[in-house]
Amino acid sequence: MLFISWHSVAQENSSVSASHPVSKNDTLPLTSTSYTDRTLLNNRLFLYQSGNEITSAAQAVTAFKQGKFSQNTAGQVSFGFTNAVLWAVLPVNVNTVSNSQIGASLGTSQAADTQNIDNKTSLKRVIEIDNAWLDKIDVFFIKGNEIVRREALGDTEHIERRGYNARMPTVSYAFSPGETLVVFRFVSQDPMTIPVYLSNEQAKKTVMLENAYFYGFLYGALLILLVYNLVLFVYLRERKYLLYSCYLFAFTAFNFTYTGHGYWWFWGAYPSVQQWLMPALMLCYITAGVTFTIEFLNTKKYLPSLFAKRKLIYSGLLLLALIMLIYGNQRFAILAQLVILTSLSLWMLLIGILCYRNGNTLAKFFVPAILLGTGGATVSSLATWGVVPYSQWAFRGIELGMFLEMSLLSVSLGFNFKEVYKARLSAEFTSRVDPLTNLYNRRAFSQLVYPLWELGVRKKQKLAVVLIDLDWFKQINDAFGHDAGDRVLELVAKTIKERVRSSDLVFRWGGEEFLLFLPDTNLEEAKTLAETLRIAVEKETSQGIAKVTMSIGIASLAPYHQTAAENEESNLKSADKTNEISLHELIKSADNALYQAKQNGRNCVVAA
């Protein structure tokens, strides 16, 4: 989850030294070989927070020269939510260097950072404020008492008016020999975080390329996860995959906006869009996180009291959106949502822990995932506060944390998919299997037998069907009870299963009826097997509750005949009739043979 600092501005006094007149040692010495790499300059800034007492760059310079600015010796970067205007001054001193000296001392890459001004060499550097969400950033370059140049860089300005094409507010300037004062004016309704960097052109381009790789990987990975979970939703029709996709999209859109990518690439000509997209997308992100948590953790089952209050939670979020719309204050909207985001992180952790304690296995993925996201965001927040040393990786910890969170949640959803798939297979298997005897039931018959039947008919193979009925089985239920009858059925099924081939299919056909489908089996072989089963069942059951006998009817596509000549003739006739007889008719023939076995006194085998 996301944390953004809004700590008290009172901390400023602990990190900014007392006011003092500026000496020569306080200026930033700039030479042809210095500050070519990207360097954070906040400890070289002189700061002044004002209400309305300083209203122009000229007044700021006067106050600076009077020693009213305080040097930011601790390198403070964040100043939280503040209504004050923050002024900063960076005094830069360029040593006088002639063209002949520069030619002897500079290589090709450094020479590209220089310009000729009155036979003296100026040094070109890039100043970058590495924060895309600040509203107003005015940068003044002052030489003597004259404003040489002014740049407006905040996200309330049209981005195409910036002199330097970059995602972050950036200005390139050639510092002429002598002292130049770089004056910054910062105003923002968002958290006041002002990391100021200085580098040459090549270092800036390198950083832009590194950021392009980083965010390209991040957004590419999130897009893959998004598509993956949408596919799972289409396949499984489970809402948690759709809601997780919404959660992924909401974070990606929110991140894409507050990192400045959207403003840089798409709506740079519409500052008002940038101003209100951040709180709007933050609210979407909060809503997506809440709905996903409730669905993903199956709170209906594991936390029914919370599930019953979900409409109240959604109504609260809707009310917040209406207040934002009616009140129309951007600072209030952002501050309120940041408080909710912080609370939401703790809420999600608590819900995950409670669901895990109540037996939800997916919560074992959810809790560490949220911890990773919260941990990354906390590092970013602490870096913003200045509690931990400020660095690019610490400031971008939220992206890394959220990427790990999203990845782990995707793993958990993949695990859920595997469990759902296994449960589906189990359900399909269970739907085809008789739970008492573990034999196939009649529902499985058409799925399993018809393909084998069609193959056997096409290849003119021998096929046989055996129908078995237990004699006087109702008397066993009446005399010993249904539990005893169930145990007899289990024993009979086990006895049959142990004596058939693995290619034979055994079905519980009815209450006490069984059907055997025997591929590649003629009538004689089927009759031999039936006799074996009849004797085995009678023997096995005689040791238990009650001896059970069986009446058995058999039918085959190649009927049994006494003589080889008759058998050969019958096989020829059977081959001619193969396409005429159906599986249903073959079963009916076996059933007629079973009826005949009953008429013959039971406990016998009759072939059709």
Side-chain angles (χ1 to χ4, degrees), residues 587-608:
I587 294 173
K588 186 175 181 181
S589 296
D591 189 49
N592 291 334
L594 174 62
Y595 178 77
Q596 188 61 47
K598 293 285 188 181
Q599 294 297 314
N600 292 348
R602 293 180 169 82
N603 193 20
C604 63
V605 177
V606 173

Side-chain angles (χ1 to χ4, degrees), residues 322-509:
L322 292 174
I323 293 174
M324 285 171 50
L325 183 63
I326 296 172
Y327 189 48
N329 186 290
Q330 183 187 353
R331 183 188 299 275
F332 166 78
I334 294 176
L335 183 58
Q337 290 180 80
L338 288 175
V339 173
I340 294 174
L341 272 173
T342 306
S343 305
L344 180 62
S345 299
L346 300 176
W347 178 81
M348 291 174 75
L349 281 174
L350 178 61
I351 299 304
I353 292 171
L354 291 176
C355 286
Y356 179 74
R357 291 178 59 184
N358 290 343
N360 188 342
T361 56
L362 284 182
K364 68 182 179 182
F365 294 97
F366 183 84
V367 172
I370 299 302
L371 283 174
L372 285 172
T374 302
T378 301
V379 171
S380 293
S381 183
L382 293 177
T384 305
W385 296 341
V387 177
V388 300
Y390 177 88
S391 69
Q392 279 290 298
W393 287 109
F395 196 53
R396 301 291 177 238
I398 178 174
E399 279 94 353
L400 295 174
M402 286 302 299
F403 173 71
L404 293 174
E405 175 187 319
M406 298 294 185
S407 299
L408 190 53
L409 287 175
S410 291
V411 169
S412 68
L413 285 169
F415 172 80
N416 179 69
F417 169 73
K418 181 180 178 181
E419 293 300 307
V420 170
Y421 183 70
K422 286 170 60 178
R424 178 172 293 183
L425 289 179
S426 177
E428 290 178 356
F429 178 78
T430 302
S431 68
R432 300 189 307 175
V433 173
D434 174 56
L436 177 64
T437 61
N438 285 324
L439 299 177
Y440 290 118
N441 56 26
R442 294 187 72 151
R443 182 177 182 180
F445 183 81
S446 59
Q447 299 174 358
L448 299 176
V449 171
Y450 276 102
L452 295 176
W453 168 262
E454 294 295 336
L455 180 64
V457 168
R458 186 167 64 253
K459 293 189 175 183
K460 300 181 179 180
Q461 294 176 341
K462 300 172 291 183
L463 298 169
V465 171
V466 177
L467 269 176
I468 300 172
D469 185 72
L470 303 187
D471 299 327
W472 312 115
F473 183 75
K474 185 176 183 301
Q475 295 180 3
I476 296 176
N477 282 331
D478 293 340
F480 303 101
H482 288 281
D483 288 342
D486 289 344
R487 290 197 296 272
V488 169
L489 289 172
E490 290 179 283
L491 179 59
V492 171
K494 180 174 179 293
T495 303
I496 294 173
K497 192 72 175 176
E498 289 175 347
R499 287 163 175 79
V500 298
R501 302 168 301 182
S502 59
S503 59
D504 299 333
L505 296 177
V506 183
F507 299 86
R508 185 180 179 188
W509 200 241

Side-chain angles (χ1 to χ4, degrees), residues 572-587:
L572 291 174
K573 292 179 180 179
S574 178
D576 293 335
K577 294 181 180 180
T578 294
N579 294 326
E580 300 176 6
I581 189 171
S582 66
L583 178 59
H584 174 72
E585 291 170 336
L586 188 67
I587 294 173

Side-chain angles (χ1 to χ4, degrees), residues 98-145:
S98 67
N99 287 338
S100 60
Q101 290 173 313
I102 199 71
S105 62
L106 294 184
T108 304
S109 62
Q110 290 177 330
D113 294 332
T114 66
Q115 292 181 3
N116 292 329
I117 300 178
D118 298 331
N119 203 34
K120 301 292 184 181
T121 302
S122 65
L123 295 178
K124 189 176 181 181
R125 292 292 182 268
V126 176
I127 296 175
E128 173 191 358
I129 296 90
D130 193 26
N131 186 348
W133 67 60
L134 297 174
D135 296 338
K136 293 182 180 294
I137 306 172
D138 293 315
V139 184
F140 305 87
F141 295 91
I142 299 175
K143 191 75 173 176
N145 293 319

